[in-house]
Amino acid sequence: MAVLTYKCPNCDGPLTWNGKKERFVCDYCRSMFSEAELKVLSPAAASAETVDAETARQLRENAGENGASAEAFNEAEENKSTKQPAKMKLYSCPSCGAQVVTDDTTAATTCYYCHNPIVLMDKLGDEYTPDFLIPFSIDRKQAEKVFADWVKKQKYIPSDFYNAKQIELLSGVYFPYWVYSCHVHSDISGTADRIRIWEDSRMRYTETSVYDITDTAESDIRDMSRIALNKASKVLCESVMPFDTEKLKEFNPGYLQGYIAETRDIEMSQIRPEVSEEVDAYCRNQAKRKIQSGFDAVHIDSINNRVSSESFRYALLPVWTVTYKDKTGKVYYFSINGQTGKTCGELPTEGKKLVQLFFKVFIPLFVFLLVILGFLF
């Protein structure tokens, strides 16, 4: 199967995951199903074919495409502008038969004709099947409220940053991550200082004793996460971390329905150097903290780390996100951790509102100073 969508057995409506109820819910008849029940449902299926960017453009224009697929098309156009080949795929919606265009890393989206959620199974086959995912605990209404509350606390932002259209662009996205764990045995050598200070009636004395040290330390690295998608903003994705990986679930494509999902295009070999550097830095800090007790200063000359029980797991983690591009082309973002609700964002400022603020403050102050000077002179 290349494309699937799970249907409600009661009314044939699409099923989507509801994190608050922890059930798959039909938005039409309000029926609810557990994960075990979803597994026995028969998803509707359709096939896919590869198309070029120009065909994708024509299909988008003819259909009036918007939302997630439009973003996918824009990504492809940006890739084309940087002289990278645009990889697009054309799918048939299993609900209405409409043609849906996505880019090469999109694994779940929504049909822009019938608005049914669809999962692109050929993007999740073989080595691209995630080991686990964390389902969304925060639904769209909650995310919109968090976004609204956050914006209301800000001042001097453009009026078009927070409007109905911008709220519609708030998207629930499963981003791909590599999650790394290991055990590290560290052999440490260095020096440690112990300082003794005393004084008499005439002088203050300081004595520094320097000790050579050798020690060992054991460190467990658990669930170090790294984004596995080149086109994703690292700031946007990593600013809302961490996720509670104790609540991970075995991957089931049904969880993707109703959300956008991306597949990885960064392999574990590409992030291994960065991960190794962070592991070394973490072990050095842990070793220093262990030896610190009883000494005033510790200087580690060398640390030899032996790594064992390494594991890279591939995961999809939930983020609500919205972006805004100003007139200069700079992109601002707002993101919400779809599990914990942690928020992060960068807001644009509107020059006109800043000018108005300047005159509101400056003119009364200027008049006040003129009055004071008139009395003085």
Side-chain angles (χ1 to χ4, degrees):
M1 284 184 298
V3 181
L4 64 81
T5 181
Y6 286 92
K7 294 288 190 176
C8 173
N10 297 327
C11 71
D12 205 37
L15 296 176
T16 56
W17 170 255
N18 186 303
K20 189 174 182 179
K21 297 178 180 178
E22 295 192 349
R23 289 290 188 275
F24 293 92
V25 178
C26 174
D27 291 334
Y28 290 90
C29 68
R30 300 298 177 182
S31 299
M32 293 188 290
F33 304 90
S34 67
E35 182 179 0
E37 291 170 324
L38 183 74
K39 288 181 178 179
V40 302
L41 298 178
S42 299
S47 59
E49 61 179 294
T50 302
V51 297
D52 57 27
E54 183 57 34
T55 303
R57 179 200 291 276
Q58 293 173 1
L59 288 167
R60 175 176 177 266
E61 291 176 350
N62 292 339
E65 182 181 357
N66 53 36
S69 296
E71 292 176 2
F73 177 81
N74 292 334
E75 289 289 347
E77 288 297 296
E78 289 177 10
N79 287 341
K80 190 167 92 172
S81 66
T82 55
K83 298 184 179 180
Q84 296 179 5
K87 298 179 179 179
M88 308 293 289
K89 272 202 170 181
L90 174 63
Y91 293 84
S92 295
C93 174
S95 297
C96 69
Q99 294 175 317
V100 180
V101 181
T102 72
D103 69 0
D104 201 42
T105 59
T106 301
T109 185
T110 302
C111 174
Y112 46 83
Y113 282 102
C114 66
H115 304 291
N116 277 337
I118 54 177
V119 181
L120 317 178
M121 287 302 294
D122 61 333
K123 304 291 182 66
L124 300 171
D126 302 325
E127 74 273 18
Y128 289 99
T129 301
D131 298 310
F132 66 85
L133 60 70
I134 295 176
F136 277 87
S137 298
I138 295 174
D139 62 22
R140 183 173 188 86
K141 286 185 179 179
Q142 290 174 295
E144 288 179 356
K145 185 179 184 306
V146 171
F147 180 51
D149 291 343
W150 186 78
V151 170
K152 287 175 184 176
K153 295 177 183 178
Q154 317 302 320
K155 296 180 179 180
Y156 320 120
I157 63 172
S159 56
D160 57 349
F161 177 77
Y162 181 65
N163 55 32
K165 181 180 179 182
Q166 200 62 4
I167 293 175
E168 288 177 5
L169 293 176
L170 184 66
S171 302
V173 183
Y174 281 105
F175 282 106
Y177 289 79
W178 284 111
V179 181
Y180 176 77
S181 300
C182 70
H183 178 81
V184 185
H185 173 90
S186 303
D187 294 311
I188 310 147
S189 63
T191 60
D193 302 337
R194 185 174 291 145
I195 301 172
R196 186 168 70 98
I197 300 173
W198 72 97
E199 58 184 35
D200 56 25
S201 59
R202 293 180 303 168
M203 297 189 66
R204 179 184 177 92
Y205 302 92
T206 300
E207 177 187 82
T208 301
S209 301
V210 180
Y211 300 86
D212 290 327
I213 56 170
T214 58
D215 204 346
T216 61
E218 306 291 331
S219 302
D220 284 310
I221 311 293
R222 294 192 59 195
D223 300 337
M224 183 189 297
S225 302
R226 288 292 178 273
I227 187 67
L229 184 66
N230 276 306
K231 74 181 182 184
S233 165
K234 284 194 173 184
V235 175
L236 184 151
C237 295
E238 295 178 358
S239 60
V240 294
M241 293 172 67
F243 292 87
D244 182 4
T245 52
E246 295 294 328
K247 296 182 180 179
L248 61 88
K249 289 183 177 288
E250 181 182 351
F251 176 73
N252 184 323
Y255 286 111
L256 307 186
Q257 291 218 142
Y259 299 97
I260 302 169
E262 299 285 352
T263 57
R264 73 175 191 267
D265 60 2
I266 297 176
E267 299 304 321
M268 65 177 71
S269 59
Q270 295 173 261
I271 65 168
R272 183 178 286 277
E274 178 185 345
V275 168
S276 296
E277 287 181 10
E278 185 162 340
V279 168
D280 286 343
Y282 175 81
C283 291
R284 183 176 290 271
N285 289 334
Q286 288 294 98
K288 195 171 183 179
R289 190 173 301 171
K290 178 186 177 184
I291 299 168
Q292 189 77 46
S293 178
F295 296 100
D296 296 293
V298 174
H299 313 280
I300 294 183
D301 298 326
S302 67
I303 179 168
N304 180 30
N305 294 324
R306 295 201 300 273
V307 179
S308 61
S309 303
E310 272 191 309
S311 70
F312 275 96
R313 294 181 293 171
Y314 176 39
L316 296 180
L317 304 181
V319 178
W320 285 99
T321 180
V322 64
T323 59
Y324 173 83
K325 184 179 289 187
D326 67 11
K327 295 178 180 179
T328 67
K330 181 177 179 179
V331 177
Y332 297 86
Y333 70 92
F334 174 77
S335 54
I336 308 170
N337 185 311
Q339 179 194 35
T340 67
K342 180 181 177 182
T343 63
C344 187
E346 181 184 6
L347 279 176
T349 55
E350 188 171 30
K352 186 184 296 184
K353 291 185 178 181
L354 290 176
V355 171
Q356 290 173 352
L357 173 66
F358 173 78
F359 282 108
K360 282 181 181 179
V361 174
F362 176 76
I363 291 178
L365 180 61
F366 181 71
V367 172
F368 176 76
L369 290 174
L370 287 177
V371 171
I372 296 297
L373 290 173
F375 279 112
L376 292 176
F377 298 100

